[in-house]
Amino acid sequence: MTIGEQVSVRTLDTADDLDETRLEAIGFVFHGNFPEPGSKKAPKAGTNLLHFARCAKLEKAGETESKIWFRTIGTAKQHLDDKVGAARWKWCKICEREITQKIINER
């Protein structure tokens, strides 16, 4: 499989899919709710979270929430901004702190 043929976005339909993704610990996982087509009511940003695939908080993701795996942060950001809305999703607080600490440590 060439790089161009590799999947960069994948819907996680079952709990086994999520468990396998977390075990691989590659990429990012979103969980939350997409806005209903034609609805003026949008989901709150606090319910739509993006995590590192290895984040322990993913265990608390609800069964009814959509779950999507992304290979890169750029792909995740573009997809979520388009489908959920730029102000309707955010990083998990633990993952966000990890990113911040990583940046501080690199200086």
Side-chain angles (χ1 to χ4, degrees):
M1 180 181 298
T2 65
I3 292 174
E5 294 173 353
Q6 292 179 345
V7 177
S8 60
V9 178
R10 183 178 76 224
T11 302
L12 305 175
D13 296 321
T14 66
D16 289 340
D17 288 345
L18 180 59
D19 291 343
E20 183 178 333
T21 299
R22 292 190 64 228
L23 184 63
E24 292 172 2
I26 298 170
F28 308 89
V29 176
F30 165 82
H31 71 87
N33 299 301
F34 290 95
E36 295 292 326
S39 173
K40 293 184 181 187
K41 183 179 177 185
K44 295 178 184 177
T47 60
N48 293 326
L49 298 174
L50 183 63
H51 302 263
F52 287 113
R54 68 181 177 275
C55 181
K57 286 274 200 175
L58 280 169
E59 293 175 7
K60 295 182 180 182
E63 290 291 321
T64 60
E65 294 177 320
S66 299
K67 295 169 192 74
I68 304 173
W69 170 85
F70 301 96
R71 180 175 304 284
T72 66
I73 188 59
T75 303
K77 182 178 179 343
Q78 180 181 0
H79 184 87
L80 294 174
D81 286 350
D82 291 345
K83 302 294 182 186
V84 179
R88 297 290 174 195
W89 67 274
K90 64 181 184 175
W91 276 99
C92 156
K93 288 181 182 180
I94 293 172
C95 296
E96 189 174 46
R97 275 185 289 218
E98 185 175 332
I99 293 168
T100 303
Q101 190 61 50
K102 191 174 195 177
I103 291 169
I104 290 169
N105 290 344
E106 289 178 356
R107 290 183 178 195

